[in-house]
Amino acid sequence: MSKVIAVFGAGTGLGASVARRFGREGFRVALVARRGDRLAALAEELAGEGIEATPFTADLSKPEEVPALVEAIRDRLGRIDVIEYGPIGGEQGFTPAAELNAATLQALIPLLVLTPVEVVQAVLPEWRERGDGAFLLTHGYSAAQPMPHLSGLGPVMAATRNYLYSLNAELADKGIYAGTLSIGSLIARSEVTAEAQAAFEAAGDAHHSVVEPDELAERYWDMYVKRDRVEQFYPESLGLTTTQVVATTA
């Protein structure tokens, strides 16, 4: 039976590219997102490229629904080998730290912290039994390096980044990999590019780079195959220096 990757937050940007990259390697694809019509269209596109893709409509801001969702994917496709989790939509935007409040954080926590943790818990028994599995987390650079005017998302994603580092350390010797791609660029063809560009301009960075999602998907494939690092930065020049690591963990 061929392997399965479940793409959580399968949109027009990175999610679609990850589906294509793994699909070219023979993976079957579970596409997970809220909008059933868009999922169906993407599944049809992938089918035209020879990639078996099955849509699963779900609201990932509801972590309590994760066990049933994962079971539905497993029932339909027989197994889950890889998860790519990166469901950021236009409604999840940056907030200056001076304007951040508890309500804003509470609204972000289910999608960006609670649901990924629940997804891991739902697939771990299968992965432990098989001695193999991979959880790939997508987050923005502000999770690793705080920046003025670009708060809200960063602190919440930082919590999940912390969790992922611990997860990988606990499970790597059992054949289970957890890795994260920290992206400091806008993603071409992504639905949130326009909103993010406005936030970067407010932060004084009007010329933020734009990366093709196919390039990021290639990074994910490389991370999945090599499993030699927990985190990769894009661009690589954004990788944290020793001084930055000390400053952010002191």
Side-chain angles (χ1 to χ4, degrees), residues 90-120:
E91 62 271 30
Q92 291 92 35
F94 292 105
T95 304
E99 299 174 13
L100 190 60
N101 56 36
T104 300
L105 292 174
Q106 277 188 316
L108 294 169
I109 286 172
L111 179 69
L112 300 179
V113 182
L114 304 183
T115 293
V117 170
E118 284 295 289
V119 169
V120 170

Side-chain angles (χ1 to χ4, degrees), residues 209-228:
S209 63
V210 178
V211 60
E212 284 294 322
D214 290 352
E215 185 170 350
L216 298 176
E218 190 64 43
R219 302 297 176 96
Y220 261 149
W221 178 255
D222 184 70
M223 292 170 67
Y224 167 70
V225 172
K226 294 181 179 177
R227 306 188 182 205
D228 59 352

Side-chain angles (χ1 to χ4, degrees), residues 5 41 65 76 79 89 104 126 138 141 150 174 184:
I5 181 171
E65 297 181 1
R76 181 75 178 273
R79 59 191 290 156
T104 300
E126 177 186 354
T138 303
Y141 183 62
L150 300 180
K174 298 174 176 61

Side-chain angles (χ1 to χ4, degrees), residues 26-50:
F27 277 72
R28 292 171 293 146
V29 182
L31 301 170
V32 183
R34 286 183 306 171
R35 300 171 181 172
D37 55 341
R38 295 191 181 189
L39 283 179
L42 178 55
E44 187 175 347
E45 282 183 30
L46 293 171
E49 299 168 22

Side-chain angles (χ1 to χ4, degrees), residues 3-25:
K3 290 185 175 183
V4 173
I5 181 171
V7 180
F8 283 71
T12 56
L14 181 56
S17 290
V18 169
R20 286 189 169 91
R21 182 64 186 88
F22 280 73
R24 291 201 302 272
E25 301 294 335

